[in-house]
Amino acid sequence: MLGNEIRHLIGKEIRLELKQKYVLNGILLYLVSTIFVTYLAFDRIIEPDTWNSLFWIILLFVAVNGISKSFIQESPARHLYYYTIASPQAVLLSKVIYNLLLMTILSVLSFVFFLLLMGNLVVNIPLFLTTLVLGSLGLASILTMVAAIASRASNNFSLMAILSFPIVLPLLGTLMKVSKSALSAAQWSGNYGFIIILLTINVAVIILAYLLFPYLWRD
Amino acid sequence: MGTVIRNYWWKILAGILLLYAVVGGFIIKISFEGMEVAAESMRNLFYHVGMWFGMLTMLITGFVYSLRYLRKFDELEDIKAVEAVNVGLMFGFLGIFTGMIWANFTWGSPWVKDPKLNGAAVGLLIYLAYAILRGSIDDTHKRAKVAAIYNVFAFFLWIVLVIILPRLAGESIHPAGGGNANTIMPMHLPPSMRLIFYPAMLGWILLGVWIYKLRVRLRRIKLTIDNK
C-alpha cells in the first residue's frame, strides 16, 4: 500500500520536473556557474584542503537551492488534494527518494565539473563516490524535512538557509573528513567509523522525519 | 513559615549553594596536577562548567515539552518549551563568554579552532534559528506546532554535534568529557575542589530552573491578559 503510493508520488514528482524543465535547468546552471566563478577566482588549486572545502560548500548551496522548492512548488490546494488521497508518510518518503535521486545526479555532475575545471586531486575515487552517495542521502533527508518546516513560515528562502546550515553541519563535517582522507590516501582504513556515523545520522534523520512529518502535514 | 519552606526550599537551596560556590570557589587553594597550564584560572571550573550543565538541563526540558506539545497541543506546553530554550540559550552564551575568558588565559586567545568550541557555537546557531522560525509565523497554533517539530528534529542533531562528534574527532584541546589525552572528569578532581564543584553544578541548574519558572509564569499572565 505504502510502496504503491510512494511509487505513484515519485512518478508525479518526475513528471512535474520534466514538465517544468526550467527549474531543473536553473539548478544545473546555478551549479555550473558557481563552479566556473570558483575556477576564475582561484588560479589553480593545489591544496587538497581547499579543493575539498570548496567542493562541499558548493554542493551545500546547490542542495539548498535544489531542495527548497520541494514544498512550495505546488499550490496549497494541491497539497490538500494529496492529503486526502495519500498518507503523509508516503508523501515524505516520495519527496526524500526523489530528492535523493536529484542530489545524486547533482553531486556527480558537480564532481565531473570539478574534475574538468579544477583538476583531479582525489586519490581514492571509490571512497569519494561513497561519500557522495551518503552525502546525497543525508542532504536529501535533512533538507527535505527543513524545506517542509520552512514552507509553513513566511520569508521562506532565507529561513531555509538559516534553519538548514547549522543543522546540516554534523553531517557535512563528517562528510568533509571522509572525503579529505579520500583526497590524501588510497586506503580505506580509519574511515569505517565515520562511514558508520554517516549511516547512523542518515537512518536516524529519516526515522525522525517519518515520525514528525505527519504533524506538519496535517495543517 | 512551614508552607514557605515547603514551596521555596529549592530556591533557598539554590541561593545558598551559589553563595557557597562563589565564595568557596575564590578562596580554596588550587592544586591540580596535570593542569598547571590553567593554574589559578582553574577556579573558572565552578562557573564555566555550571553554565554548560544549566544549558543542557534547559535544552532537554525544552525537548521534552516540545514532544508533549505534539501529543496534547496544549499552548502551555509550547510556552514551557520556548522559555526553556530561551534560558538554555542564555546559559549557552554565558558558557561561551566564561569559556572565552578562560581560553584567553590558558591558550592565549579567546577562540581557538577546536571541535568542542565550534560545536558549542553552531549549537547556539541551531537554537537562534529556532527563535527566528517562531518569529516568522503569525498564527499561534501553527507557530507552536512548527516550532515543536523543529525543536525535536534539531535536538537530535544538536546532540550529535555537541556530544558525539567532538568525542570522535579526538583532537580537541578542550578538557572535558573524553576523547582526548588531557581529559579531566569531575571524579579526578582533588577532594577539596570536588566539595565545591558538585554543589556549584546543582546550584546553577537550580538557578536555571528558577529563571525558567519565572519566565513561564510571566508568559502565562500575559496570555491570560491577552485572552480577556
Side-chain angles (χ1 to χ4, degrees):
Chain A
M1 186 58 196
L2 189 65
N4 205 14
E5 281 179 13
I6 292 174
R7 215 179 50 241
H8 279 99
L9 284 167
I10 294 175
K12 185 265 301 178
E13 293 284 333
I14 293 172
R15 276 199 298 278
L16 193 68
E17 195 76 83
L18 293 177
K19 207 173 166 191
Q20 302 181 319
K21 277 210 194 73
Y22 73 95
V23 182
L24 186 64
N25 290 341
I27 298 165
L28 289 176
L29 194 59
Y30 181 92
L31 186 155
V32 174
S33 29
T34 319
I35 296 179
F36 203 75
V37 168
T38 326
Y39 162 69
L40 293 177
F42 289 80
D43 277 344
R44 171 134 196 85
I45 296 181
I46 343 157
E47 283 286 313
D49 275 0
T50 320
W51 195 100
N52 193 30
S53 320
L54 278 174
F55 180 81
W56 286 106
I57 291 171
I58 291 173
L59 199 59
L60 174 65
F61 275 82
V62 168
V64 169
N65 263 295
I67 296 177
S68 63
K69 68 168 175 29
S70 290
F71 289 90
I72 46 173
Q73 197 180 16
E74 293 175 89
S75 68
R78 217 184 293 174
H79 280 161
L80 192 63
Y81 173 58
Y82 298 141
Y83 180 76
T84 56
I85 56 168
S87 72
Q89 284 88 354
V91 172
L92 174 84
L93 291 179
S94 69
K95 296 260 184 201
V96 169
I97 294 169
Y98 175 72
N99 284 333
L100 167 65
L101 288 175
L102 184 71
M103 276 315 299
T104 314
I105 295 168
L106 290 176
S107 60
V108 171
L109 275 180
S110 308
F111 182 43
V112 171
F113 273 107
F114 243 66
L115 291 186
L116 281 176
L117 293 174
M118 309 286 197
N120 183 19
L121 294 181
V122 182
V123 187
N124 189 344
I125 289 192
L127 180 60
F128 191 80
L129 291 178
T130 313
T131 60
L132 279 189
V133 172
L134 287 173
S136 301
L137 179 59
L139 286 170
S141 47
I142 295 181
L143 293 178
T144 305
M145 190 61 194
V146 174
I149 291 173
S151 72
R152 290 279 180 260
S154 52
N155 186 17
N156 185 283
F157 193 76
S158 69
L159 199 61
M160 179 78 194
I162 54 172
L163 291 182
S164 60
F165 286 179
I167 269 195
V168 126
L169 221 102
L171 177 89
L172 202 68
T174 320
L175 282 170
M176 284 169 98
K177 264 202 192 96
V178 181
S179 77
K180 197 167 150 186
S181 91
L183 262 72
S184 58
Q187 73 269 28
W188 284 63
S189 60
N191 285 312
Y192 293 115
F194 289 121
I195 290 176
I196 290 168
I197 294 286
L198 284 174
L199 282 173
T200 319
I201 293 180
N202 284 339
V203 170
V205 163
I206 291 173
I207 292 173
L208 263 179
Y210 185 88
L211 295 174
L212 289 172
F213 185 74
Y215 293 101
L216 207 57
W217 193 228
R218 190 178 55 205
D219 204 14
Chain B
M1 190 63 196
T3 51
V4 171
I5 292 189
R6 213 173 310 129
N7 293 334
Y8 298 104
W9 64 270
W10 60 276
K11 294 179 185 172
I12 299 166
L13 182 66
I16 294 170
L17 286 177
L18 288 179
L19 197 66
Y20 168 74
V22 171
V23 175
F26 277 105
I27 62 173
I28 65 156
K29 191 173 172 297
I30 298 291
S31 59
F32 189 59
E33 278 173 46
M35 284 300 285
E36 281 77 14
V37 62
E40 290 295 320
S41 74
M42 270 302 269
R43 296 177 199 284
N44 203 349
L45 192 74
F46 310 124
Y47 316 114
H48 172 67
V49 183
M51 298 302 118
W52 171 260
F53 278 110
M55 176 178 77
L56 204 60
T57 315
M58 282 300 122
L59 293 183
I60 291 171
T61 311
F63 169 70
V64 170
Y65 279 112
S66 283
L67 278 182
R68 285 174 59 137
Y69 179 82
L70 290 177
R71 286 178 64 94
K72 296 197 275 180
F73 297 105
D74 178 1
E75 206 174 346
L76 189 59
E77 311 279 353
D78 178 55
I79 288 177
K80 286 179 177 169
V82 65
E83 286 308 341
V85 169
N86 282 343
V87 179
L89 266 176
M90 182 201 80
F91 272 109
F93 276 110
L94 288 175
I96 284 197
F97 290 141
T98 48
M100 280 163 93
I101 298 170
W102 203 355
N104 204 18
F105 280 106
T106 44
W107 302 327
S109 119
W111 196 268
V112 290
K113 211 173 179 182
D114 183 272
K116 278 180 186 147
L117 275 67
N118 293 333
V122 177
L124 287 186
L125 287 182
I126 290 180
Y127 282 99
L128 287 172
Y130 171 82
I132 304 281
L133 175 67
R134 292 188 70 92
S136 59
I137 305 175
D138 288 329
D139 182 78
T140 331
H141 292 286
K142 196 169 161 189
R143 182 202 301 144
K145 194 171 72 176
V146 174
I149 292 166
Y150 174 79
N151 193 14
V152 173
F153 194 63
F155 181 77
F156 162 74
L157 288 155
W158 182 79
I159 291 286
V160 174
L161 184 74
V162 178
I163 300 190
I164 300 174
L165 286 184
R167 276 157 186 68
L168 290 166
E171 60 220 9
S172 175
I173 59 164
H174 184 286
N180 53 348
N182 50 356
T183 292
I184 39 166
M185 298 297 277
M187 49 276 192
H188 303 152
L189 288 171
S192 63
M193 284 175 77
R194 251 180 292 166
L195 218 54
I196 311 264
F197 181 79
Y198 290 121
M201 294 310 105
L202 185 63
W204 290 118
I205 291 173
L206 287 177
L207 181 72
V209 176
W210 192 354
I211 298 172
Y212 155 76
K213 289 210 159 207
L214 284 176
R215 292 190 62 115
V216 170
R217 271 166 64 192
L218 194 65
R219 276 261 185 145
R220 282 180 73 174
I221 293 168
K222 273 185 190 152
L223 191 72
T224 328
I225 294 171
D226 285 349
N227 286 348
K228 256 180 192 163

